[in-house]
């Protein structure tokens, strides 16, 4: 797995660098107990940009454990930024997934939140 160079712009901030992983989260976990964004809320009108910077390979087991201990956000290699609009720029394309389904993204990518746009009906 090779880190990649990318720039991310939010409404008030630009972050550029070399990242091992970038996740855009609206809930706390990827699934199976791996908590990528411990403070995300699906109904707050924001997404969290979870940036995992390049790290020494020897730390991979520790970072993996942090995902399951719900404290990945405490690592100096992880930065989590809330945003309503996200612009991702880089060269060419990148691979990723949408809710577990693999996709190829052509850069640039723009992600926008539309708060309250999904109506859910539930029966008890």
């Amino acid at each position: 797995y090779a880190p990649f160079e990318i720039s991310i712009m939010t409404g008030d901030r630009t972050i550029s660098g070399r990242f091992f992983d970038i996740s855009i989260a609206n809930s706390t976990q990827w699934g199976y107990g791996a908590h990528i964004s411990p403070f995300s809320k699906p109904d707050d009108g924001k997404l969290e940009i979870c940036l995992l910077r390049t790290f020494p390979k020897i730390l991979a087991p520790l970072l993996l454990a942090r995902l399951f201990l719900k404290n990945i956000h405490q690592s100096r290699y992880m930065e989590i930024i809330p945003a309503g609009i996200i612009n991702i720029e880089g060269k060419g394309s990148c691979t990723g997934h949408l809710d577990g389904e693999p996709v190829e993204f052509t850069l640039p990518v723009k992600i926008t939140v539309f708060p309250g746009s999904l109506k859910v009906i539930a029966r008890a």
Side-chain angles (χ1 to χ4, degrees):
Y1 189 83
F4 49 95
E5 190 80 30
I6 209 153
S7 291
I8 299 173
M9 284 76 58
T10 66
D12 59 348
R13 197 167 167 194
T14 298
I15 305 104
S16 296
R18 197 160 172 76
F19 300 99
F20 179 80
D21 182 74
I22 297 172
S23 292
I24 310 296
N26 71 337
S27 64
T28 60
Q29 64 176 306
W30 283 332
Y32 302 104
H35 290 262
I36 188 64
S37 184
F39 303 110
S40 287
K41 296 179 185 173
D43 60 353
D44 67 356
K46 299 270 183 192
L47 295 170
E48 276 67 39
I49 308 165
C50 306
L51 302 168
L52 183 59
R53 294 196 182 276
T54 304
F55 56 88
K57 290 179 185 177
I58 196 165
L59 294 180
L62 175 63
L63 291 169
L64 184 62
R66 283 182 171 274
L67 280 172
F68 292 94
L69 295 171
K70 302 180 186 179
N71 65 11
I72 189 73
H73 63 287
Q74 294 173 350
S75 169
R76 69 182 190 154
Y77 298 102
M78 176 62 82
E79 183 175 3
I80 300 176
I81 304 158
I85 297 174
I86 303 165
N87 290 295
I88 303 172
E89 294 184 359
K91 294 181 179 166
S93 62
C94 62
T95 56
H97 70 89
L98 293 172
D99 200 22
E101 297 298 320
V103 293
E104 184 83 16
F105 294 101
T106 301
L107 299 174
V109 171
K110 182 176 183 176
I111 302 167
T112 305
V113 176
F114 297 101
S117 61
L118 178 63
K119 305 299 180 199
V120 178
I121 299 172
R123 272 179 55 186

